[in-house]
C-alpha cells in the first residue's frame, strides 16, 4: 500500500462558501444597524405594519376570528396599534409592551383575535436582550392575561389549547433573547480582555525598552567615561612632561592612542550588538566577555598611567559569579573615574576588597583629594545612579560621600550580601 502523507490523510478544514456568505451578510447588517439604527427600525416596523394591513384588507383575520360581527374600523385600528409601536421596541421595550397591552386586551375581549398580537413576542425578545431577567415575569403575565380573557369569553375547546402554546412561544422568545445577550456579553468580555492584554503588552514593551535604554546608557557611561578620564589625565601629564622629558611625553601619547583605540573598539562592539536589523553582508558583531575581577589589574594600571597612584588591599579569596564580579568591577571603575575627574592634583586612591563566603564581598574605594569632592553629575548624570542600580540587583548597599572629618577626599563603599539559596 502506498504511503500516505499527513497532509493527504488529514482533510483541509475550510469554511463552507455558504457559511462565509451568510457571515458576510450578517456582518454587513450589524454594521448598517449600528450606523443607521432608526432607518433599520423603520424598515422592520414597516414590514410588520404592512403584514398587519394585508391581513386586514385581505380578510385573512376572519379565518381565525372568534367573533365575525366586529366593525372594520376597529379591526384596522387594532392592526395598527399592535404593529406601529414596534418602532420603539429596542430603545423602550417595556414601554412598548405597556402601550400594546390595552389593545391586545381589546383584541381578546371582542373576539377579533388578530395574529398581530403575537408581535408582542418581539418585544419579549428585546426585554430579555436589553433588560433584567426579572422583567420577563410581568411581561409574561401581561401577554398571557388577554389570552385568558379570550379563552374565557370566546372558548374554542379546552383553555389550555390557547394558553399553553402562548406560554411556550414566550419561553422560546425569552430564551433566544437571553442566548443572544449571553453571546454578546461574552464577545464584549473577550474584546475587552484583548484590549487590556494589548495595553499591558505595550506597557511591558515600554518598560523593557526603558530598562534596556538605562542598561545601555550605563554601559556606555562606564566604558566611554572611564576611558575619556584616563585620556584626559594622560594628556595633562604629557603636556606637563613635554618640556622636561620628551620620552615621558611620547609614552603618554602612546598610552593615549592605546586607550582611545580600546574605547573605540568597545563602543563599536556595543553599537554592533544594538543593531535592530541584521544585514547578511555585514560580519557578525565581535563580542567580548564582560570584565571580571581578573581585569582589575589592567584597569588600575591604566589609571596609574593617567597619573593617579592607586594602592590595593585584598582580604580573602575571590569566589564570585560573573554578575557580581561585573558589579564590583564597574563600581571600582566609576569610583576611580570620579577621582580622576574631580579630586585634583596630588591625589592618591586606595582600594580595599574583602571577600566573604557564599558570594559576599565588600569593596571600599577612598582617595585623598584636596577637598571633599563628588561626582559633578549626580543629578542628571548616570555614574552614581548606575552604581546604585547595579548594587540593587544583588540586594546590596552602596554608600558614596565625603570621608569623615578630619580626613579629606571621597569614599565609595559597596557591600553585596551572601547569595540566597535558590
Amino acid at each position: 500500500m502506498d504511503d500516505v502523507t499527513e497532509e493527504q490523510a488529514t482533510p483541509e478544514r475550510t469554511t463552507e462558501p455558504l457559511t462565509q456568505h451568510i457571515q458576510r451578510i450578517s456582518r454587513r447588517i450589524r454594521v448598517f444597524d449600528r450606523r443607521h439604527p432608526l432607518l433599520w427600525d423603520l424598515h422592520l416596523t414597516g414590514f410588520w405594519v404592512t403584514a398587519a394591513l394585508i391581513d386586514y384588507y385581505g380578510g385573512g383575520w376572519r379565518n381565525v376570528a372568534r367573533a365575525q360581527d366586529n366593525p372594520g374600523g376597529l379591526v384596522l385600528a387594532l392592526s395598527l396599534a399592535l404593529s406601529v409601536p414596534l418602532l420603539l421596541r429596542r430603545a423602550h421595550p417595556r414601554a412598548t409592551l405597556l402601550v400594546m397591552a390595552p389593545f391586545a386586551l381589546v383584541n381578546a375581549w371582542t373576539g377579533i383575535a388578530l395574529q398581530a398580537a403575537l408581535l408582542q413576542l418581539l418585544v419579549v425578545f428585546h426585554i430579555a436582550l436589553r433588560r433584567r431577567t426579572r422583567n420577563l415575569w410581568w411581561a409574561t403575565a401581561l401577554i398571557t392575561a388577554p389570552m385568558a380573557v379570550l379563552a374565557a369569553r370566546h372558548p374554542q375547546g379546552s383553555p389550555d389549547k390557547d394558553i399553553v402554546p402562548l406560554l411556550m412561544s414566550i419561553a422560546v422568545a425569552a430564551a433566544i433573547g437571553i442566548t443572544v445577550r449571553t453571546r454578546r456579553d461574552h464577545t464584549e468580555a473577550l474584546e475587552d480582555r484583548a484590549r487590556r492584554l494589548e495595553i499591558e503588552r505595550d506597557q511591558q514593551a515600554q518598560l523593557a525598552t526603558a530598562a534596556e535604554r538605562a542598561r545601555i546608557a550605563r554601559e556606555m557611561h562606564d566604558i566611554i567615561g572611564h576611558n575619556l578620564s584616563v585620556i584626559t589625565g594622560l594628556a595633562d601629564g604629557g603636556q606637563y612632561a613635554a618640556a622636561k622629558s620628551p620620552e615621558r611625553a611620547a609614552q603618554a601619547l602612546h598610552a593615549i592612542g592605546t586607550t582611545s583605540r580600546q574605547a573605540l573598539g568597545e563602543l563599536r562592539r556595543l553599537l554592533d550588538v544594538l543593531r535592530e536589523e541584521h544585514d547578511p553582508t555585514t560580519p557578525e558583531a565581535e563580542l567580548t566577555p564582560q570584565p571580571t575581577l581578573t581585569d582589575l589589574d589592567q584597569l588600575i594600571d591604566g589609571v596609574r598611567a593617567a597619573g593617579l597612584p592607586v594602592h590595593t588591599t585584598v582580604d580573602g579569596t575571590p569566589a564570585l559569579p560573573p554578575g557580581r564580579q561585573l558589579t564590583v568591577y564597574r563600581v571600582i571603575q566609576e569610583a576611580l573615574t570620579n577621582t580622576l575627574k574631580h579630586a585634583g592634583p596630588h591625589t592618591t586612591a586606595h582600594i580595599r576588597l574583602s571577600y566573604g563566603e557564599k558570594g559576599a564581598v565588600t569593596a571600599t574605594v577612598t582617595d585623598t583629594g584636596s577637598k571633599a569632592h563628588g561626582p559633578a553629575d549626580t543629578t542628571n548624570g548616570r555614574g552614581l545612579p548606575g552604581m546604585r542600580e547595579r548594587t540593587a540587583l544583588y540586594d546590596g548597599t552602596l554608600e558614596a560621600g565625603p570621608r569623615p572629618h578630619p580626613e579629606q577626599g571621597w569614599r565609595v563603599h559597596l557591600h553585596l550580601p551572601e547569595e540566597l539559596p535558590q
Side-chain angles (χ1 to χ4, degrees):
M1 182 176 181
D2 295 336
D3 293 335
V4 180
T5 62
E6 183 178 355
E7 294 181 355
Q8 294 172 341
T10 303
E12 184 178 359
R13 298 182 61 184
T14 58
T15 306
E16 293 294 335
L18 179 59
T19 304
Q20 291 181 348
H21 184 66
I22 294 175
Q23 291 176 351
R24 184 165 54 252
I25 294 176
S26 177
R27 284 195 298 268
R28 290 179 178 177
I29 292 176
R30 287 196 298 269
V31 171
F32 180 83
D33 185 25
R34 285 195 298 267
R35 294 178 178 177
H36 311 284
L38 180 59
L39 185 60
W40 178 254
D41 288 340
L42 287 173
H43 276 79
L44 191 61
T45 303
F47 172 80
W48 291 114
V49 170
T50 301
L53 292 178
I54 291 175
D55 186 53
Y56 165 69
Y57 286 108
W61 65 275
R62 297 183 182 276
N63 296 328
V64 295
R66 299 188 183 183
Q68 302 288 337
D69 55 348
N70 289 286
L74 178 61
V75 177
L76 177 60
L78 291 176
S79 299
L80 295 174
L82 292 173
S83 57
V84 172
L86 291 177
L87 184 63
L88 302 176
R89 74 194 184 283
R90 292 200 290 184
H92 307 285
R94 292 179 296 185
T96 301
L97 190 61
L98 290 174
V99 170
M100 297 173 70
F103 299 101
L105 184 61
V106 173
N107 179 52
W109 184 270
T110 58
I112 298 176
L114 289 173
Q115 297 185 45
L118 295 177
L119 294 177
Q120 294 176 103
L121 297 176
L122 288 175
V123 185
V124 171
F125 166 80
H126 285 282
I127 290 177
L129 179 63
R130 305 174 190 280
R131 297 294 182 265
R132 295 181 179 179
T133 308
R134 64 186 182 185
N135 290 295
L136 293 173
W137 296 108
W138 64 262
T140 301
L142 201 63
I143 297 175
T144 307
M147 183 59 68
V149 171
L150 179 64
R153 282 185 53 85
H154 306 279
Q156 194 176 58
S158 177
D160 59 346
K161 293 183 179 180
D162 294 322
I163 297 177
V164 172
L166 178 63
L167 291 175
M168 294 179 63
S169 300
I170 294 174
V172 170
I176 295 175
I178 293 174
T179 301
V180 174
R181 179 176 185 170
T182 302
R183 184 176 181 273
R184 182 194 62 186
D185 293 344
H186 179 66
T187 302
E188 291 177 353
L190 292 178
E191 292 176 351
D192 180 67
R193 181 184 179 187
R195 284 193 296 269
R196 288 188 285 108
L197 289 176
E198 185 176 357
I199 293 174
E200 182 179 353
R201 181 199 62 191
D202 293 341
Q203 291 175 344
Q204 292 294 335
Q206 292 174 1
L207 291 175
T209 301
E212 185 66 12
R213 287 177 177 174
R215 185 188 68 82
I216 294 169
R218 186 170 60 239
E219 292 295 332
M220 293 187 68
H221 175 275
D222 292 340
I223 295 172
I224 306 303
H226 172 75
N227 286 297
L228 288 179
S229 297
V230 172
I231 291 172
T232 301
L234 290 171
D236 292 340
Q239 182 181 7
Y240 177 78
K244 299 181 179 181
S245 178
E247 294 182 357
R248 294 189 60 185
Q251 293 176 356
L253 291 175
H254 177 73
I256 289 174
T258 302
T259 305
S260 300
R261 284 189 292 271
Q262 180 183 359
L264 287 174
E266 292 180 354
L267 179 60
R268 186 178 298 111
R269 282 191 292 269
L270 180 60
L271 295 178
D272 287 343
V273 172
L274 295 178
R275 286 182 304 180
E276 294 184 358
E277 297 181 358
H278 174 65
D279 186 357
T281 62
T282 303
E284 293 290 339
E286 181 182 355
L287 304 179
T288 57
Q290 291 279 26
T292 61
L293 293 179
T294 58
D295 300 308
L296 270 180
D297 292 339
Q298 182 180 356
L299 172 68
I300 294 172
D301 290 341
V303 174
R304 287 170 177 165
L308 175 64
V310 181
H311 307 283
T312 60
T313 302
V314 179
D315 297 328
T317 303
L320 303 178
R324 289 179 173 243
Q325 292 191 43
L326 176 62
T327 297
V328 175
Y329 180 92
R330 291 303 191 194
V331 169
I332 294 176
Q333 181 187 52
E334 180 63 24
L336 294 177
T337 301
N338 287 331
T339 299
L340 279 172
K341 292 168 62 176
H342 309 297
H346 309 296
T347 299
T348 61
H350 183 266
I351 301 172
R352 184 181 185 88
L353 285 170
S354 298
Y355 299 103
E357 297 180 355
K358 300 180 181 179
V361 61
T362 300
T364 304
V365 182
T366 58
D367 62 56
T368 59
S370 58
K371 57 181 179 178
H373 67 87
D377 56 353
T378 55
T379 302
N380 298 321
R382 300 185 180 274
L384 188 58
M387 289 192 291
R388 296 192 187 280
E389 290 172 1
R390 292 183 185 277
T391 305
L393 291 176
Y394 300 98
D395 297 325
T397 57
L398 180 74
E399 300 174 2
R403 299 174 67 185
H405 186 76
E407 297 176 333
Q408 291 183 333
W410 194 262
R411 174 179 178 270
V412 176
H413 179 75
L414 166 72
H415 174 69
L416 300 182
E418 296 181 357
E419 290 187 278
L420 297 177
Q422 299 296 329

